Amino acid sequence: MTAMRKLFIWIFILFSGSVTAQVRKLTLEEVVQQSKDQSIASKQAVTQKKTNYWQYRSFMADYKPQLSLLGTVPGFTRSYIQVVQPDGTVSFQQVSNNNSTLNLSLSQSIAMTGGTVYVQQQMQRFDDFQRDVTRYNGIPFEIGIKQPLFQYNPLKWDRKISPLKYQEGNQQYIQSLEQVALDATGFYFDLLVSQVNLQIAEKNRSNNDTLFKIAQHKLELGKISQNDLLQLQMGLLTAQKDLASAQQSAAVASLKLKMYMGSRDERELELAIPAEAAEFAIDTQLALDEAFANRSASVAFRRRLLEAERDVQQARKNNGLNATLNATFGLSNQGNLPRDVYVSPQDREFVELQLTLPILTWGRNKARTEVARAAQEFAQQSVEQDKLTFEQEIFTQVTLLQMLQKQVKLTKVTDGIAADRYQIAKERFILSDLSVTDLGIATQEKDIARRDYILALRDYWQAYYSLRLLTLYDFEQNRKISY
């Protein structure tokens, strides 16, 4: 029975080991790419890009001919209406009729003037059910124009600003994906630091357990004091506590990374420690030029200035003389049948000029203009300040990345030295050639050096992706970033 129990325990351990062995190994490049492909943030960026595209398509459609059919079918009425008699009295008469209209119109906006030209055809049918009479009235052909005079022209300004908005949106899409890469890098190193802390904690617990057992044997031989043994026991308990905390932190960081990546894989993640990229030189002037050429903020600078200028123009135009010219020329006719409308139609002309001239506004119009001018001046100042901040960010990021390239190499060397020193200290302690205090110092230095190296890598890669985000330029490949 005991042998069978041992066999079952062995099978259970073997099976459990096979389950826990299911891990998914990932590199930083794989995490970044999967985040760009599957994360909610990347999908939102794609959706925003589609929205930007269709908004631009809608803007372009406004400048193309528009064909529309307008109608009232049917237009039935049955009621009593007031009819004034020749002697001035009022009589209420019953009416029962249908007045239907169809209008086919082709219009074209004129961006330079803000007007609209159109051609149209119209047919009207009137049915008097009381008298059993049907009549037709129509416009076989008509051409017209509606032209604002001395007014603000929104079509002209939209033609200047909307292409900038479209370009800004396209660049924002690239920035969004680079932001995904930067965020994914942050989550990657959060988990990597937790996993390294977990490895350190597991190693320290194992080492402290081994050293504590060795110390117990030494105490029996009289080679160490009871105080040294208690110190090692405290170290073992601390290592066990640190291990439990590291396991919890690693589990939380793993969940956050999976959620950001959009991954439903239940396997445990095992992250590789990324090496620093091949050292490359960064020309600060090139970084500035590429940033101003590629970033959406650079396009936004021009858009904001144009919008401020537009608002001033709108305030000035709306405060003065406003007029609208409406003119049409065509043919019209009526008859008992639809075809009668097209037989010998008569001329149809219409000209109208509408005027609006503010005379007494108590300074309201001037105030509106001055507010718009002040807003324009503020926009110019804001853009100048944002440009300076923009340049400072680029300069700072270039300097930081160049510094971190060197720092990573130094911390890597320090990590190797600290690991070797700890190994030597451990061997000397076993041989009773080193105190417990010195061994603890060597352990702390090893742990600190390892963490410093991982943290230096994190700072380096975040600075690397931050520079890509700020410039939308790949300095390794010497090309603009595009998707």
Side-chain angles (χ1 to χ4, degrees), residues 135-205:
R135 300 288 294 175
Y136 291 90
N137 179 42
I139 303 173
F141 172 79
E142 183 177 61
I143 182 171
I145 183 172
K146 181 178 181 180
Q147 179 59 59
L149 304 175
F150 316 112
Q151 294 187 38
Y152 165 71
N153 181 2
L155 295 176
K156 176 183 176 181
W157 287 99
D158 285 347
R159 203 167 187 176
K160 293 180 179 180
I161 294 174
S162 291
L164 291 179
K165 288 184 177 179
Y166 179 62
Q167 182 183 356
E168 185 180 352
N170 288 339
Q171 296 307 109
Q172 184 59 51
Y173 169 70
I174 301 176
Q175 287 177 216
S176 296
L177 291 186
E178 286 301 306
Q179 184 65 53
V180 168
L182 178 59
D183 293 341
T185 301
F187 285 112
Y188 183 93
F189 275 97
D190 286 345
L191 177 55
L192 182 59
V193 169
S194 296
Q195 289 184 343
V196 169
N197 286 336
L198 179 58
Q199 292 171 2
I200 292 174
E202 289 175 340
K203 188 67 174 176
N204 286 344
R205 187 204 59 79

Side-chain angles (χ1 to χ4, degrees), residues 123 136-137 140 333-345:
M123 179 64 71
Y136 291 90
N137 179 42
N333 206 349
Q334 58 85 32
N336 296 324
L337 297 173
R339 64 173 177 267
D340 294 339
V341 174
Y342 298 91
V343 178
S344 301

